[in-house]
Amino acid sequence: MEKFDSLTAIAAPLPEENIDTDKIIPARFLKTTKRSGLGKFAFYSWRYDDNGNERNDFILNRDPYRQAKILISYENFGCGSSREHAPWALLDFGIRCVIAPSFADIFFNNAFKNGILPIKVSREICEQLVEDTKMGANARITVDLVHQEIIRPDGEKIKFEIDPLRRQLLLEGLDDIDQTMQHVESIRNFEKNRKEKQPWFPEIIIDEHNI
């Protein structure tokens, strides 16, 4: 997983409540278990018309927001189905951070596991950030995970809270498998001792080359 420490990027506004995972990536595109290639389907029903042509009125189809790496939204972002394809699609599109007053729990957890930083701040702050995004190419927001700050284009710093463990995992770029592999020697020693005491029990073999 790619490390996340500080990100300065164009922010795009999606000032709506209850943006569900079917909006983020429609169910008909969930035929793959691969994480790559899903970015082209992100927000598909908003980005394209029935003929597959881009909708000019959608924010992510307009410059400079095509290059946005930060989304500003409102309450309950990522609600609905628990599909992990939603953060996969956002990440493949280029989004590394979503700022909103609240998130659906499953999306919130899946975002962290895939290298996306979901930040909870008040509705008032989100509305201020949405106003900042109207500056177009000058709507660059910095998200500093090290100091837990959002820095607005005018230099104002906004503190945010994050679980210490999740913060550290993002800073180090560690997903669930990476965390497990940090303890591989302890696991091997445990298995060796268990095998001596319970030789009939199937052995667990860890092969780093096939993970």
Side-chain angles (χ1 to χ4, degrees), residues 9-13 65 68-72 129 133-134 136 139-141:
I10 292 171
Y65 304 103
K69 295 184 181 298
I70 301 170
L71 292 181
I72 314 297
L129 295 174
T133 65
K134 295 178 181 179
R140 291 185 175 272
I141 292 174

Side-chain angles (χ1 to χ4, degrees), residues 188 191-192 194-195 198-206:
R188 285 194 175 118
E191 281 300 303
K192 180 180 179 181
R194 184 201 51 73
K195 185 178 180 182
Q198 300 174 312
W200 64 87
F201 197 86
E203 181 180 3
I204 298 175
I205 300 175
I206 298 178

Side-chain angles (χ1 to χ4, degrees), residues 28 52 54 56 59 76 78 120-121 128 134-136 155 165 184 198 203:
R28 63 185 181 277
E54 284 192 353
N56 296 326
I59 191 70
N76 204 25
K120 296 179 182 179
V121 293
Q128 293 171 0
K134 295 178 181 179
M135 299 170 64
L165 176 59
V184 65
Q198 300 174 312
E203 181 180 3

